[in-house]
Amino acid sequence: MKIAAQILRSTLFLLLICQTQLTFAQDWLDEEEGWGPRRRGIEFGLNMGVYQANNGLYTSSANFYNGDGYFELGDNTATLYSIEERMYLGTTDETIQNMLNVSSFEIPYDAYSLNMMYNPSMLFGLKMVGFFNPEAAIVLAADVASLKAKGAYTINAGTIQPGQNTNTRVYGVFGEERRMMTMLGFRTSFYITDRSSWVFEFGEIMTATRIERNYFNVEQATFDLITQFNGPGNFNGPTSNLTNFGFGQYATIGLEALFEEGGNLEANFRLSRDRIKLGSQEEDFNGDVKGYNMIQWNFALYVTWMIPPHIGDFVRASF
């Protein structure tokens, strides 16, 4: 993993060195001379849109947070507890009994959700494009998104007597994570008019996934599942940043509108085949990874504002 990350960093560094040799300019042809911009050099862009993580049944990484404690965290101190284990740590069970106003409770064997779902999240990022000509360019981009997964679990409240109905209650279980997607790819454009074009992009993507939090609620109270138990009422968080890296591929299709002043605008749709890793990546005696490690399809819908290289001259002229 460390070697692969070092190779990627070296490649990106070499790309930056090569791109600095290009001309920082975007010249425009007169209408009678041609059909569009004479683009050569480096341009920068800002991404903003929506990111949707995979919500496939059973296979989604959101199920890492479903509360069954199946996976291992990989932290030196903190543990990923199941909801049932967490409820019986210290005096937590007494607290829950008081909130439920019952003398006892139990977690059914099928209490945990296997279809945890990610909410759509906002995406923000930066893009650097090195143009060789209007149709060909190298792209380096980085986007970030904060994700929240949610699902439900059940709890049987109170002692059930024969002939009585089960007092089953449903509460929520949640997971929070942050992803950073770094992309290195090739871009080509097919011009529709002299001021608009289709954009196609494809390449490699590295996805860094950081676990932020995993917790469940009972009534109005929340309880962390990722924690270090130091005695009744004494809990600490993990000591590491719980980040893993995975590599994959992506493809983007977009529509670009080109403006002589003020920057170009792109509307993009990106589909990526990412390897998502959560928790410990060590293998057990069967050769299975102790944490989560699977390939998933994710997508993003976003707008890019390509900042023109001559924006400084344009701003000065405006004032």
Side-chain angles (χ1 to χ4, degrees), residues 4-206:
Q6 292 175 353
I7 293 175
L8 180 61
R9 285 195 294 267
S10 300
T11 303
L12 298 182
F13 180 71
L14 291 174
L15 176 65
L16 289 174
I17 295 177
C18 294
Q19 288 183 333
T20 55
Q21 306 303 316
L22 300 174
T23 304
F24 285 75
Q26 175 179 304
D27 299 326
W28 290 80
L29 297 170
D30 295 330
E31 292 184 1
E32 61 273 10
E33 290 184 34
W35 42 262
R38 184 186 295 115
R39 301 176 84 171
R40 181 177 175 82
I42 294 179
E43 297 182 19
F44 295 90
L46 302 176
N47 297 333
M48 183 176 68
V50 177
Y51 178 81
Q52 179 60 69
N54 185 282
N55 278 329
L57 186 63
Y58 305 123
T59 61
S60 173
S61 57
N63 288 320
F64 182 89
Y65 307 101
N66 71 358
D68 64 3
Y70 175 79
F71 297 104
E72 292 191 16
L73 192 61
D75 186 75
N76 292 329
T77 55
T79 300
L80 176 61
Y81 289 102
S82 69
I83 293 176
E84 185 173 16
E85 290 171 334
R86 179 64 175 83
M87 282 183 170
Y88 290 104
L89 279 181
T91 59
T92 309
D93 56 338
E94 298 177 7
T95 302
I96 294 174
Q97 288 177 38
N98 293 333
M99 287 189 296
L100 298 177
N101 193 25
V102 296
S103 59
S104 64
F105 62 86
E106 63 179 11
I107 302 295
Y109 74 94
D110 56 350
Y112 308 110
S113 172
L114 291 178
N115 59 341
M116 294 278 290
M117 304 285 287
Y118 282 113
N119 292 335
S121 62
M122 293 298 296
L123 175 146
F124 301 94
L126 300 173
K127 177 187 291 186
M128 183 173 67
V129 186
F131 284 94
F132 302 106
N133 55 59
E135 290 90 7
I138 296 294
V139 179
L140 174 63
D143 296 329
V144 294
S146 295
L147 307 182
K148 184 172 184 177
K150 62 181 182 179
Y153 75 96
T154 56
I155 179 174
N156 291 335
T159 302
I160 309 303
Q161 300 297 330
Q164 292 182 342
N165 293 326
T166 303
N167 182 9
T168 300
R169 305 188 188 186
V170 179
Y171 295 106
V173 56
F174 308 92
E176 297 177 5
E177 67 182 52
R178 182 171 298 176
R179 292 186 186 181
M180 179 173 181
M181 292 73 68
T182 304
M183 290 142 287
L184 177 63
F186 175 78
R187 161 185 164 141
T188 184
S189 302
F190 294 93
Y191 283 84
I192 305 170
T193 68
D194 58 350
R195 291 295 181 267
S196 63
S197 68
W198 290 104
V199 176
F200 298 93
E201 183 182 326
F202 58 91
E204 297 293 315
I205 182 171
M206 180 182 71

Side-chain angles (χ1 to χ4, degrees), residues 289-308:
V289 176
K290 295 180 180 180
Y292 181 92
N293 185 336
M294 291 189 68
I295 293 176
Q296 292 187 347
W297 292 94
N298 306 294
F299 70 87
L301 185 64
Y302 59 98
V303 175
T304 303
W305 176 47
M306 296 299 297
I307 306 172

Side-chain angles (χ1 to χ4, degrees), residues 147-284:
L147 307 182
K148 184 172 184 177
K150 62 181 182 179
Y153 75 96
T154 56
I155 179 174
N156 291 335
T159 302
I160 309 303
Q161 300 297 330
Q164 292 182 342
N165 293 326
T166 303
N167 182 9
T168 300
R169 305 188 188 186
V170 179
Y171 295 106
V173 56
F174 308 92
E176 297 177 5
E177 67 182 52
R178 182 171 298 176
R179 292 186 186 181
M180 179 173 181
M181 292 73 68
T182 304
M183 290 142 287
L184 177 63
F186 175 78
R187 161 185 164 141
T188 184
S189 302
F190 294 93
Y191 283 84
I192 305 170
T193 68
D194 58 350
R195 291 295 181 267
S196 63
S197 68
W198 290 104
V199 176
F200 298 93
E201 183 182 326
F202 58 91
E204 297 293 315
I205 182 171
M206 180 182 71
T207 303
T209 305
R210 175 177 175 175
I211 299 171
E212 296 287 336
R213 193 182 178 194
N214 190 194
Y215 59 99
F216 67 97
N217 74 311
V218 178
E219 299 300 329
Q220 303 302 317
T222 60
F223 302 89
D224 286 316
L225 291 171
I226 298 176
T227 187
Q228 177 184 2
F229 177 61
N230 297 316
N234 189 358
F235 297 91
N236 292 328
T239 56
S240 62
N241 64 10
L242 304 180
T243 301
N244 283 292
F245 299 85
F247 295 86
Q249 299 79 38
Y250 79 97
T252 300
I253 181 172
L255 183 62
E256 182 179 31
L258 299 97
F259 305 97
E260 187 169 357
E261 295 177 342
N264 307 331
L265 288 177
E266 299 177 4
N268 298 301
F269 173 80
R270 181 175 73 225
L271 182 66
S272 58
R273 184 176 181 270
D274 309 300
R275 179 170 290 279
I276 303 299
K277 297 180 179 181
L278 297 169
S280 173
Q281 297 303 300
E282 296 181 0
E283 295 183 355
D284 59 20

